[in-house]
Amino acid sequence: MVSNLNPMQSSAVRHIDGPLLVLAGAGSGKTRVITHKIAYLVEECGYSPSGIAAITFTNKAAREMKERVGKLLKGDSKGLVISTFHSLGLAIVRSEASHFGLKSNFSILDSSDSQGIIASLCKTTDKKFVRRISGIISGWKNSFLTPDSVSPSSDEEHLAAKIYEDYQATLQAYQSVDFDDLIRLPVALFGKNREVLEKWQNRLRYLLIDEYQDTNLCQYRLIRQLAGSRGAFTAVGDDDQAIYAWRGASKENIAELRKDYPNLEVIKLEQNYRSTVRILKAANSLIANNPKLFEKKLWSDLGHGERIRVLSARDEEHEAEAVVMSLLAHKFENRGKYSDYAILYRGNHQARLFEQQLRNERVPYKVSGGLSFFERSEIKDILSYLRLIANPDDDPAFVRAVTTPRRGIGNQTLEALGRYAGGRQISMFEAAFEAGFSGEVSERQLEPLSGFCNFINNLRYRAEREKAGEVLNDLLKAIDYEAHLYDMDEERQAKAKWENVTDFVSWMGKKSEEDGKNLSEISQTVALMSLLDKNESEYDAVQLSTLHAAKGLEFRHVFLVGVEEGILPHQESMEDAGIEEERRLMYVGVTRAMESLSISHCQKRKRAREWQKCEPSRFIAELGEDIGHSGNAVTREVGNARLAMLKSALDAK
């Protein structure tokens, strides 16, 4: 089981007597350690697969682990938990729903639903303001602060505290939870109910936590509670890649482990299997400027490699031209694939000019962080029906479903229903069946509303008993959703949306059969799935990505662009802690590169129609002396001439 691991990886896999922290440098094989350790625990140490939980942050990472563990384990892996934090939290909340005053078929609200409730409570349509209030509340939740325990320090926070209390009451009324609750609620329950905690500690006998440096306070408490005094866990992380403080992650959780577990064993993985010596030398030189929790130095036996190139561009348009021409020349010279190349940047707004240049040169590309499949309006329409089938008390889902498509139920009717439901402290769906409400509206208003609610009840009955795919297809026919799309959009757009819907229905039917769950059960977990996990296609294309989204990925050749003061490091991160995180972000960018790394910056940029002088980022100098400054970047004309020469030379061979 450990014969194909290096000595430090092997030590990490074999260590099971007490808590373990594996400091896994970039490209050092952390997933290999986790998957081999799962197999080792089952096949060498006698652990039952159902007693092991591997926890990570993305569905994609969990899926990759499952596939790799499946190849390593000789026997059955039934019951093995490999999931995200939120999926594990969902399993706990679902199992213990009665402790939270929830029915087992509660709803999970996504960020847009949550912000819709907050906007309503704030009585505003200012989306930026709503996002700020939402962010404050989320931060409090992840710091395990309840509405009555927060200490507001500004007028905005005082408002957020009032909204927080009303928001939580609204969630309870809707029989709903948000993403933050999926971690917060289990932590709260375990803190006050010893019997439930011990049940889950006995169920999950060994924990493996991936990307440990990205955990927030709430997630750390959940780990500590489940691990208990036994400390039967392996936490795998890298403090040098802690880049999510802005969303509540705390690299201090690494230091906390030592306080909470004095017998903590620490093993460092420093051999890098991704990058050349030159790239790692630059990365080590850069990150050495940050204070260290643990000293760590990456090394590689993959050869010295090319020098890191630094390009200075006249302006942002020139930078985009130069990078794309350089990329194409390098591709022709090395006869590589488009997918060998990535263009990485600090912020999404930087992508536009690079996309434009790639399109000009007819280069296929894909952009990470695009609109989630489950965020598309047509998918959210269908999901509103599924949420309502699973939980008729879900008012946001009710409002969306009853108005999509429109079915003769006007705003006046819905407003009357909302007032009546609010006065009775019941859901809109339940209110529609009460005799008291029938006196509030005319027969003509009541008839289509009653018809809709009876339709949903029929679907709920079928959802428990029939195949998910059949129920979903009948739903689409009954509401004539295809015709609705063609009524609302021009033909090409409507066709694309309908294809998305049919793909989704087909996928849901298949997943229901694979997981052995009916439509009601599968609907509840859909809120945790992200688009790209389901619909990520592998094709030969240049990858454009923010540095945050590129974490965990690797590319043969990387172009790191816009490396300037004010961009990387970001203008709003100039304090000490901010600069340290920005340096870690640069470190993540550098260590994505396997064979070559090119860094570019501009001499000037246009901001608000004014040209502003730009300074190269301080991080470029911190990479050390073994980098090649190429001077001014080439123009499109020079690049085209070079490409023509290369093509001619290659054709002549």
Side-chain angles (χ1 to χ4, degrees):
M1 190 56 63
V2 295
S3 60
N4 60 342
L5 304 177
N6 70 36
M8 300 312 290
Q9 289 173 335
S10 178
S11 297
V13 168
R14 290 174 183 273
H15 182 90
I16 59 167
D17 299 323
L20 172 66
L21 171 62
V22 179
L23 286 170
S28 63
K30 69 179 178 65
T31 305
R32 169 179 273 206
V33 166
I34 292 170
T35 53
H36 276 71
K37 186 150 195 173
I38 292 170
Y40 183 77
L41 287 167
V42 173
E43 299 196 342
E44 302 290 333
C45 305
Y47 275 77
S48 165
S50 61
I52 300 170
I55 311 166
T56 187
F57 277 86
T58 67
N59 292 319
K60 183 180 177 183
R63 188 174 62 237
E64 182 187 339
M65 275 189 204
K66 281 178 186 172
E67 288 171 359
R68 289 167 73 165
V69 169
K71 291 173 183 174
L72 287 171
L73 280 176
K74 298 187 183 91
D76 186 13
S77 61
K78 188 175 181 182
L80 174 66
V81 176
I82 300 181
S83 75
T84 63
F85 270 98
H86 289 100
S87 293
L88 177 62
L90 172 60
I92 296 170
V93 176
R94 184 188 284 144
S95 176
E96 311 298 340
S98 60
H99 290 283
F100 308 114
L102 292 168
K103 296 179 293 189
S104 60
N105 58 345
F106 59 87
S107 295
I108 303 165
L109 301 189
D110 64 16
S111 59
S112 64
D113 288 324
S114 297
Q115 287 176 21
I117 294 170
I118 289 169
S120 177
L121 294 171
C122 291
K123 296 180 171 59
T124 181
T125 56
D126 183 340
K127 289 184 178 179
K128 284 187 178 178
F129 178 75
V130 169
R131 278 198 295 270
R132 286 203 305 275
I133 297 296
S134 178
I136 292 169
I137 292 172
S138 179
W140 283 336
K141 283 193 170 191
N142 286 320
S143 296
F144 209 62
L145 295 170
T146 57
D148 56 359
S149 66
V150 300
S151 300
S153 59
S154 66
D155 288 345
E156 195 165 82
E157 287 195 357
H158 275 284
L159 174 62
K162 175 68 175 73
I163 297 299
Y164 185 11
E165 185 175 0
D166 294 341
Y167 172 69
Q168 286 303 107
T170 303
L171 289 186
Q172 193 69 34
Y174 287 176
Q175 283 287 296
S176 299
V177 299
D178 62 20
F179 272 25
D180 296 324
D181 289 329
L182 292 176
I183 312 297
R184 186 184 66 84
L185 290 175
V187 171
L189 177 62
F190 291 160
K192 65 186 180 186
N193 192 316
R194 187 78 198 168
E195 186 181 340
V196 175
L197 173 60
E198 287 177 355
K199 179 177 84 174
W200 282 92
Q201 286 176 338
N202 290 329
R203 184 179 298 184
L204 303 176
R205 304 293 298 174
Y206 200 95
L207 303 176
L208 299 104
I209 304 99
D210 188 21
E211 302 287 10
Y212 178 72
Q213 77 283 347
D214 293 339
T215 55
N216 60 33
L217 176 62
C218 227
Q219 289 161 339
Y220 177 59
R221 286 198 186 181
L222 180 62
I223 293 163
R224 198 174 65 197
Q225 287 172 329
L226 289 172
S229 57
R230 294 195 322 271
F233 68 82
T234 295
V236 182
D238 182 6
D239 51 322
D240 289 335
Q241 295 187 75
I243 59 173
Y244 289 113
W246 53 275
R247 70 178 189 196
S250 174
K251 70 185 181 68
E252 301 309 316
N253 286 345
I254 292 178
E256 287 298 312
L257 273 182
R258 273 193 159 168
K259 291 180 192 172
D260 292 332
Y261 297 96
N263 62 331
L264 180 73
E265 180 80 10
V266 179
I267 294 175
K268 300 177 191 176
L269 303 184
E270 296 170 295
Q271 182 174 359
N272 176 285
Y273 292 92
R274 175 187 298 155
S275 307
T276 62
V277 170
R278 263 184 167 135
I279 290 169
L280 295 182
K281 185 179 174 185
N284 287 332
S285 173
L286 170 73
I287 206 64
N289 290 279
N290 272 3
K292 293 282 192 175
L293 283 172
F294 300 92
E295 283 300 325
K296 184 170 82 283
K297 209 162 192 178
L298 296 179
W299 61 275
S300 166
D301 58 10
L302 297 177
H304 211 52
E306 299 177 26
R307 289 184 84 185
I308 295 171
R309 294 189 310 138
V310 178
L311 308 172
S312 176
R314 195 174 52 245
D315 55 40
E316 57 258 60
E317 288 193 9
H318 181 213
E319 180 186 37
E321 273 185 18
V323 164
V324 170
M325 299 314 294
S326 181
L327 184 155
L328 287 172
H330 193 279
K331 177 184 178 296
F332 278 114
E333 214 165 346
N334 292 275
R335 300 193 177 193
K337 298 182 294 184
Y338 287 118
S339 55
D340 291 338
Y341 296 83
I343 300 173
L344 308 181
Y345 36 80
R346 175 66 176 81
N348 274 312
H349 67 280
Q350 293 169 264
R352 183 181 61 82
L353 288 172
F354 293 95
E355 287 190 69
Q356 191 175 306
Q357 287 301 323
L358 290 165
R359 285 198 301 269
N360 288 347
E361 300 300 328
R362 293 180 173 79
V363 175
Y365 68 89
K366 52 185 175 180
V367 184
S368 70
L371 184 67
S372 161
F373 188 79
F374 293 103
E375 286 294 314
R376 295 175 192 271
S377 62
E378 65 272 22
I379 302 304
K380 293 191 79 170
D381 286 345
I382 306 307
L383 284 175
S384 68
Y385 282 88
L386 300 189
R387 284 167 47 187
L388 200 53
I389 289 167
N391 173 19
D393 292 332
D394 186 338
D395 277 2
F398 177 87
V399 171
R400 185 164 191 142
V402 80
T403 56
T404 311
R406 282 280 177 183
R407 44 177 51 82
I409 303 169
N411 287 340
Q412 282 188 341
T413 307
L414 291 176
E415 285 169 14
L417 181 63
R419 281 195 304 272
Y420 180 85
R424 292 271 291 117
Q425 294 291 296
I426 57 177
S427 70
M428 293 172 77
F429 188 88
E430 187 178 347
F433 288 100
E434 290 211 341
F437 173 66
S438 64
E440 301 279 325
V441 293
S442 68
E443 183 64 32
R444 184 175 54 81
Q445 289 174 298
L446 187 62
E447 188 179 344
L449 182 63
S450 298
F452 171 77
C453 293
N454 287 326
F455 170 63
I456 294 297
N457 273 336
N458 180 49
L459 286 174
R460 292 185 68 213
Y461 178 85
R462 293 183 61 194
E464 301 282 346
R465 295 162 177 81
E466 299 177 26
K467 288 185 177 180
E470 291 176 9
V471 179
L472 282 169
N473 279 311
D474 287 349
L475 164 64
L476 294 180
K477 287 176 191 168
I479 65 174
D480 205 3
Y481 191 71
E482 184 178 11
H484 165 72
L485 290 176
Y486 279 90
D487 286 342
M488 299 297 292
D489 295 299
E490 55 93 13
E491 185 175 352
R492 193 161 56 96
Q493 195 174 11
K495 184 181 178 187
K497 286 185 175 183
W498 178 244
E499 285 176 356
N500 285 337
V501 169
T502 53
D503 283 350
F504 171 67
V505 167
S506 171
W507 174 74
M508 282 282 285
K510 185 179 175 186
K511 185 156 186 63
S512 171
E513 289 186 17
E514 286 175 353
D515 294 357
K517 292 181 178 178
N518 63 38
L519 185 57
S520 292
E521 293 166 329
I522 207 77
S523 296
Q524 199 178 33
T525 59
V526 140
L528 293 182
M529 301 172 190
S530 94
L531 137 110
L532 298 171
D533 293 335
K534 168 189 134 21
N535 214 24
E536 204 171 55
S537 54
E538 293 297 327
Y539 60 96
D540 190 23
V542 174
Q543 176 75 61
L544 272 64
S545 174
T546 62
L547 289 164
H548 284 100
K551 185 167 168 286
L553 305 178
E554 61 185 24
F555 307 93
R556 289 187 182 279
H557 312 289
V558 168
F559 289 83
L560 191 46
V561 302
V563 186
E564 299 150 30
E565 291 292 304
I567 296 181
L568 185 62
H570 194 274
Q571 191 62 46
E572 295 176 7
S573 304
M574 293 300 188
E575 300 299 321
D576 288 348
I579 287 291
E580 288 170 18
E581 176 139 341
E582 293 290 298
R583 186 175 284 114
R584 292 193 292 271
L585 195 55
M586 176 78 173
Y587 175 82
V588 165
V590 170
T591 54
R592 298 313 92 198
M594 300 167 72
E595 296 174 17
S596 76
L597 173 65
S598 297
I599 295 169
S600 61
H601 61 88
C602 295
Q603 295 159 18
K604 62 179 180 178
R605 281 184 188 271
K606 190 171 271 190
R607 292 191 177 95
R609 299 183 182 179
E610 296 284 333
W611 285 107
Q612 292 185 5
K613 188 179 178 185
C614 303
E615 295 292 330
S617 170
R618 69 193 74 186
F619 300 149
I620 294 175
E622 292 175 0
L623 293 171
E625 297 176 359
D626 191 20
I627 58 176
H629 289 270
S630 303
N632 289 338
V634 298
T635 62
R636 176 195 284 268
E637 291 74 21
V638 173
N640 276 329
R642 184 182 170 201
L643 266 175
M645 287 173 58
L646 282 169
K647 288 177 181 176
S648 172
L650 287 170
D651 289 343
K653 284 186 177 180

